[in-house]
């Protein structure tokens, strides 16, 4: 049976101890937003609900990030499938089998930052299009990290649907 996740702020479902484990430290910055707000001081209004937790900047000036976003409007499976099918620069992983979704995928996708990627679990749950990911340097991505991200993202999605 597929989870039915309501369209509302999702941040309450996040386990901060799991975020700390994925980031390797306590977050130094937290950003939460709802549609219409301007997160990160940008001039563009958000169309999603979201929360992001950033670690300390490394020697390269970049920081790891855990994020959870949800489309601010109902999402249809067809729209999600277009996103998933067009993810041709991504490596597809096996999504956790314990989570029911109308559409689901697990991906490792390059980010706009050279040599950094997002390890993500994304899908449609009822009418909610949700993405959960960790942004990390490519050289830190291995099967253990992928499994940890999938486990925490699946747990978070199940919490959102309960």
């Amino acid at each position: 049976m597929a989870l039915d996740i309501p369209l509302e702020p999702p941040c309450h479902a996040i386990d901060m101890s799991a975020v700390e484990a994925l980031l390797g430290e306590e977050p130094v910055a937290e950003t939460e937003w709802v549609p219409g707000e301007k997160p990160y001081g940008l001039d563009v209004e958000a169309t999603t609900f979201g929360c992001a937790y950033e670690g300390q900047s490394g020697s390269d000036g970049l920081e790891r990030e855990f994020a959870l976003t949800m489309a601010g409007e109902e999402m249809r499976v067809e729209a999600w499938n277009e996103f998933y099918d067009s993810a041709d620069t991504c490596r597809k992983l096996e999504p956790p089998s314990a989570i029911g979704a109308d559409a689901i995928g697990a991906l490792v996708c390059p980010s706009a930052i050279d040599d950094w990627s997002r390890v993500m679990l994304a899908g449609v749950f009822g009418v909610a299009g949700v993405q959960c990911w960790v942004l990390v340097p490519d050289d830190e991505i291995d099967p253990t990290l992928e499994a940890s991200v999938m486990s925490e993202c699946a747990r978070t999605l199940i919490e959102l649907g309960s």
Side-chain angles (χ1 to χ4, degrees):
M1 180 170 163
L3 293 173
D4 187 16
I5 297 176
L7 291 178
E8 61 186 26
C11 305
H12 66 277
I14 295 172
D15 177 351
M16 289 310 296
S17 63
V19 170
E20 289 176 17
L22 290 169
L23 295 178
E25 63 188 334
E26 187 175 319
V28 296
E30 299 178 18
T31 306
E32 296 182 9
W33 64 91
V34 297
E37 291 185 349
K38 297 179 180 179
Y40 303 106
L42 301 174
D43 285 335
V44 178
E45 289 185 1
T47 60
T48 61
F49 295 98
C51 17
Y53 304 90
E54 298 172 4
Q56 292 256 10
S57 294
S59 59
D60 54 7
L62 303 171
E63 61 274 335
R64 288 161 188 75
E65 177 183 62
F66 174 89
L68 178 66
T69 62
M70 179 186 304
E73 296 180 357
E74 291 184 2
M75 180 175 264
R76 301 279 176 234
V77 170
E78 296 79 19
W80 189 88
N81 285 336
E82 286 178 24
F83 157 76
Y84 187 73
D85 292 343
S86 69
D88 55 1
T89 61
C90 300
R91 179 170 52 90
K92 295 179 179 175
L93 306 172
E94 188 66 33
S97 59
I99 186 166
D102 297 297
I104 193 167
L107 303 161
V108 178
C109 298
S111 74
I113 304 167
D114 289 339
D115 302 320
W116 284 63
S117 293
R118 285 187 173 96
V119 179
M120 83 169 64
L121 181 62
V124 176
F125 306 87
V127 296
V130 184
Q131 293 185 4
C132 176
W133 75 80
V134 172
L135 175 68
V136 293
D138 290 340
D139 62 3
E140 292 183 15
I141 298 173
D142 62 19
T144 301
L145 175 72
E146 291 168 356
S148 295
V149 172
M150 293 303 117
S151 176
E152 180 51 24
C153 286
R155 189 211 58 78
T156 301
L157 293 171
I158 290 167
E159 176 72 19
L160 286 171
S162 62

